[in-house]
Amino acid sequence: MKTYDYLIVGSGLFGSIFAYEASQKGKKCLVIDKRNHIGGNVYTKEIEGINVHKYGAHIFHTSNKEVWEYIQKFAEFNRYTNSPIAKYKNEIYNMPFNMNTFNKLWGVITPKEAKAKIEEQIKESGIIEPKNLEEQAISLVGKDIYEKLIKGYTQKQWGRPCHELPSFIIKRLPVRFTYDNNYFNDLYQGIPIGGYTQIIEKMLKGIDVRMNCDFFEHREELEKIAHKIVFTGMIDEYYDYCYGELEYRSLKFEEELLDTDNYQGNAVVNYNEYEIPYTRIIEHKHFEYGQQDKTVITREYPSSWQKGDEPYYPMNDERNNELYARYKELADKEDKVIFGGRLGMYKYFDMHHVIDGALKCVKNELEK
């Protein structure tokens, strides 16, 4: 039976970077994934010449030059700038909240006018110590922005009324008093030309990979053939939920190929009304300035998570963070298992955070 230095559970960014870097240093790695493809949630599939983000929009952004230069070794990136728009009752607003948004809401033109309007609404609310997310949002940006651009979307995303959500979920809200629709302030931003899957393919070239391989179904065999495990799955599942289940939010995707060259005129349109069940529609061709005759759209429906569903967002409220801390105590005692990624560390990470974390992890592991 072939043996490996590392068994890497999960072929997403964290696992693939670890496998690539370890193999570059002469380590033998086996990467497994329960899905039928590599790439985890950054997986893209070509449909009608369009690179479709199969698990939601993935827009790369970072201010970390080292991370930016690292990822560009595997793909050329375009100049895509994330400028989502929000639709509320047939009105269109720019995101993040900026002068274009405020002009549409109140007819204000100058930053001074916009600031005065927000401050007036905050003062009118009378909220001194926010007790929940609703009060927190209103105390930051006022009632109008909250009602039209935060409330419905947030309730759909988390599956609870805003007044039942903890205030710390929204620690701050990006309010910009400029006419700039760029969602991210990061120095570097773009989409890999040709999709994300090619990046993972290059990372895993020459490395043993098994698809449709569930770690828990073959645990006994897999643990025997590797000296150490890099685990990017759910940490509570790894420990057989011995302290109880951590909570997650899941997503359902409804993909549609349309016989039109342009459906919505933007890559991402948020639907902020609670009555509309999906949170956003993604039109994938706009990520790469596609000129195809057809288009592919995806509607995203947030959903509650149950065992067997794909976990997308950790529910980092007080109860779950305390529960995770107990699992982390077990993880910290391990000498043969490394936990990584958003499920292994029970925290939502952007892609640049995952890359940075994986590089630091592999450096710490192989340069001891």
Side-chain angles (χ1 to χ4, degrees):
M1 187 180 289
K2 190 173 182 180
T3 58
Y4 298 89
D5 296 298
Y6 294 97
L7 166 70
I8 291 122
V9 181
S11 66
L13 269 174
F14 192 99
S16 297
I17 289 169
F18 191 100
Y20 174 80
E21 293 296 323
S23 67
Q24 292 292 301
K25 291 176 170 59
K27 302 297 183 181
K28 289 189 292 182
C29 299
L30 170 64
V31 177
I32 66 168
D33 202 297
K34 65 182 180 181
R35 290 174 173 168
N36 64 1
H37 59 75
I38 58 173
N41 288 344
V42 303
Y43 172 68
T44 49
K45 181 180 180 180
E46 186 182 315
I47 299 173
E48 295 285 334
I50 300 164
N51 292 303
V52 175
H53 298 212
K54 297 294 284 186
Y55 301 98
H58 283 78
I59 298 134
F60 196 87
H61 59 98
T62 185
S63 291
N64 186 325
K65 189 176 182 180
E66 181 185 352
V67 166
W68 179 242
E69 290 178 345
Y70 180 82
I71 199 66
Q72 286 192 105
K73 294 194 300 184
F74 304 97
E76 181 183 356
F77 280 67
N78 66 18
R79 58 169 185 81
Y80 178 82
T81 299
N82 188 32
S83 302
I85 58 175
K87 186 179 179 187
Y88 178 81
K89 295 185 177 178
N90 288 322
E91 297 173 347
I92 295 293
Y93 295 94
N94 288 107
M95 303 286 288
F97 315 134
N98 63 43
M99 287 304 301
N100 290 311
T101 318
F102 309 143
N103 176 263
K104 185 71 178 281
L105 278 168
W106 307 309
V108 298
I109 293 172
T110 68
K112 184 178 180 180
E113 291 173 316
K115 287 177 183 178
K117 191 71 178 177
I118 291 171
E119 286 167 9
E120 175 191 328
Q121 292 196 357
I122 292 171
K123 190 175 180 181
E124 283 177 358
S125 75
I127 298 167
I128 306 299
E129 293 184 14
K131 298 180 179 63
N132 52 54
L133 186 147
E134 179 174 284
E135 292 184 358
Q136 175 79 342
I138 293 171
S139 71
L140 289 171
V141 293
K143 190 172 182 179
D144 287 350
I145 295 174
Y146 168 71
E147 289 288 343
K148 291 191 174 186
L149 301 176
I150 298 171
K151 184 179 180 180
Y153 189 98
T154 303
Q155 290 184 170
K156 287 189 286 188
Q157 188 73 12
W158 294 103
R160 299 179 194 170
C162 287
H163 63 265
E164 292 181 9
L165 290 166
S167 60
F168 65 75
I169 288 179
I170 295 182
K171 293 179 181 176
R172 62 184 182 85
L173 285 165
V175 177
R176 298 181 191 163
F177 297 98
T178 61
Y179 289 91
D180 182 2
N181 297 324
N182 180 4
Y183 194 83
F184 301 118
N185 280 326
D186 287 308
L187 260 161
Y188 313 105
Q189 184 173 175
I191 298 284
I193 299 168
Y196 285 95
T197 304
Q198 59 172 323
I199 293 173
I200 306 300
E201 287 172 345
K202 290 170 186 173
M203 289 178 177
L204 297 182
K205 187 176 181 180
I207 295 171
D208 288 351
V209 178
R210 290 189 202 170
M211 296 291 96
N212 301 301
C213 181
D214 189 318
F215 171 77
F216 297 101
E217 289 180 9
H218 307 279
R219 185 168 188 164
E220 188 176 344
E221 169 212 340
L222 291 167
E223 288 180 334
K224 286 178 182 176
I225 63 173
H227 298 299
K228 294 191 82 167
I229 296 172
V230 177
F231 188 80
T232 68
M234 292 160 39
I235 189 170
D236 53 340
E237 185 179 20
Y238 182 87
Y239 288 111
D240 198 24
Y241 308 102
C242 63
Y243 295 136
E245 291 180 23
L246 290 165
E247 287 183 275
Y248 304 86
R249 286 292 286 168
S250 191
L251 291 170
K252 307 295 183 189
F253 300 101
E254 183 181 270
E255 188 181 292
E256 193 174 354
L257 174 65
L258 301 175
D259 194 17
T260 180
D261 66 339
N262 192 349
Y263 175 74
Q264 63 186 16
N266 206 51
V268 181
V269 177
N270 292 351
Y271 284 77
N272 289 19
E273 294 167 67
Y274 183 73
E275 293 73 21
I276 295 173
Y278 44 86
T279 48
R280 61 182 181 175
I281 295 179
I282 300 160
E283 188 169 8
H284 304 269
K285 70 189 302 178
H286 296 307
F287 289 132
E288 298 186 55
Y289 315 107
Q291 300 298 312
Q292 298 89 351
D293 292 333
K294 296 185 179 181
T295 194
V296 179
I297 63 169
T298 302
R299 297 176 184 87
E300 282 190 19
Y301 296 82
S303 63
S304 57
W305 177 87
Q306 297 176 336
K307 280 185 184 178
D309 294 337
E310 189 64 35
Y312 286 93
Y313 302 105
M315 292 283 284
N316 288 117
D317 57 18
E318 190 174 349
R319 188 197 79 82
N320 283 292
N321 286 342
E322 286 176 1
L323 183 56
Y324 167 68
R326 297 181 69 189
Y327 282 116
K328 190 174 184 305
E329 281 183 21
L330 295 178
D332 289 342
K333 295 173 185 174
E334 300 278 0
D335 58 1
K336 291 187 177 181
V337 186
I338 300 165
F339 292 89
R342 63 191 168 84
L343 301 182
M345 300 174 77
Y346 198 66
K347 184 176 180 181
Y348 185 81
F349 293 111
D350 285 327
M351 286 180 286
H352 61 290
H353 293 134
V354 173
I355 294 168
D356 186 48
L359 291 173
K360 286 176 178 172
C361 176
V362 77
K363 184 177 181 181
N364 180 61
E365 172 67 17
L366 297 178
E367 295 182 14
K368 291 175 181 177

